[in-house]
Amino acid sequence: MLNENDAKLLGIHGALCELKTGASAGDEELHAALPHLQATLTSLSLSWRVTDRGVQACTCLTGLQTLALNHCWMLTDKAMKAVAGFSGLQSLHLKGCFGLTDSAIEELKPLTTLQELSLWGCQGITDRGVGHLKGFTSLQSLAVALLPMGEHASQALPTLTRLETLDMSSCQGVTDDLLKRLMGLKCLTDLDISRCGA
């Protein structure tokens, strides 16, 4: 049961459209909150202590459009299988989720309406994983900062023709050839290649 302290910890008050948890909220607090979350919940932000189990418990939140799982370092690719069930998801932030691998991107393929994706600093994702982004044609904003770029990325990123914003800061393997290919993206207005290396 969700008590008053849990509600304060999770920032719950009234009918919810958005829920952000603090660093001290984990799976137990999330499970306690789920029965109280309205069908109107469209935005959920979890961090730090949430595991695959916590994300899997959220699959009842069918109206989610925005999901942030930043710095959830205990998450694995299994959690992405659950995330792929949010068919209306438009924005997904996975910044600093070190446990994710290339397979996580494969798991997310059903998210055809995804417009914004952040994989910033997901160190388990390689060039091959970036290559799996090829089918994400609805993306308008993509952050792959700190990820390695190579032939797979060079093939995939230029196919994302709706991209307006691309953050490739601090990426290794950024070549002149890749940049030339990215110049073909007609909608691209913001490209961050600061601190990149070949």
Side-chain angles (χ1 to χ4, degrees), residues 127-150:
D127 172 55
R128 187 174 298 276
V130 176
H132 293 324
L133 292 170
K134 195 170 188 172
F136 289 78
T137 55
S138 294
L139 282 180
Q140 296 172 13
S141 176
L142 176 63
V144 289
L146 296 168
L147 300 186
M149 298 292 125

Side-chain angles (χ1 to χ4, degrees), residues 26-56:
D27 290 349
E28 299 306 317
E29 292 83 6
L30 184 58
H31 279 283
L34 285 174
H36 301 273
L37 300 176
Q38 305 294 321
T40 57
L41 190 72
T42 59
S43 179
L44 179 62
S45 179
L46 306 171
S47 60
W48 301 104
R49 291 181 48 223
V50 174
T51 67
D52 294 348
R53 185 174 151 256
V55 173
Q56 289 163 348

Side-chain angles (χ1 to χ4, degrees), residues 31 44 59 72 86-87 112 121 129 144 155 178:
H31 279 283
L44 179 62
T59 55
C72 292
F86 298 120
S87 58
T112 57
V144 289
Q155 295 297 321
L178 172 56

Side-chain angles (χ1 to χ4, degrees), residues 6-190:
D6 290 334
K8 285 179 185 170
L9 181 67
L10 291 168
I12 294 175
H13 32 71
L16 286 179
C17 289
E18 181 177 0
L19 173 64
K20 294 180 181 179
T21 66
S24 60
D27 290 349
E28 299 306 317
E29 292 83 6
L30 184 58
H31 279 283
L34 285 174
H36 301 273
L37 300 176
Q38 305 294 321
T40 57
L41 190 72
T42 59
S43 179
L44 179 62
S45 179
L46 306 171
S47 60
W48 301 104
R49 291 181 48 223
V50 174
T51 67
D52 294 348
R53 185 174 151 256
V55 173
Q56 289 163 348
C58 292
T59 55
C60 61
L61 305 173
T62 56
L64 276 188
Q65 295 174 9
T66 301
L67 178 60
L69 299 169
N70 294 326
H71 305 291
C72 292
W73 52 272
M74 292 186 281
L75 291 185
T76 70
D77 299 340
K78 287 180 186 175
M80 296 305 102
K81 192 171 206 162
V83 169
F86 298 120
S87 58
L89 205 61
Q90 296 174 11
S91 179
L92 178 60
H93 297 267
L94 300 169
K95 181 178 181 178
C97 291
F98 305 131
L100 300 182
T101 70
D102 296 344
S103 297
I105 310 301
E106 288 279 28
E107 294 290 356
L108 296 173
K109 291 259 184 189
L111 296 177
T112 57
T113 59
L114 203 59
Q115 296 173 15
E116 183 178 4
L117 177 62
S118 175
L119 301 169
W120 192 101
C122 292
Q123 297 172 346
I125 296 175
T126 70
D127 172 55
R128 187 174 298 276
V130 176
H132 293 324
L133 292 170
K134 195 170 188 172
F136 289 78
T137 55
S138 294
L139 282 180
Q140 296 172 13
S141 176
L142 176 63
V144 289
L146 296 168
L147 300 186
M149 298 292 125
E151 189 55 35
H152 296 284
S154 291
Q155 295 297 321
L157 295 178
T159 68
L160 306 177
T161 57
R162 293 185 184 170
L163 270 187
E164 298 172 7
T165 303
L166 178 57
D167 180 358
M168 295 173 53
S169 57
S170 301
C171 289
Q172 293 301 307
V174 176
T175 63
D176 290 344
D177 180 58
L178 172 56
L179 293 176
K180 216 177 283 181
R181 292 180 189 208
L182 293 176
M183 291 307 106
L185 295 174
K186 304 295 184 206
C187 297
L188 193 63
T189 57
D190 186 3

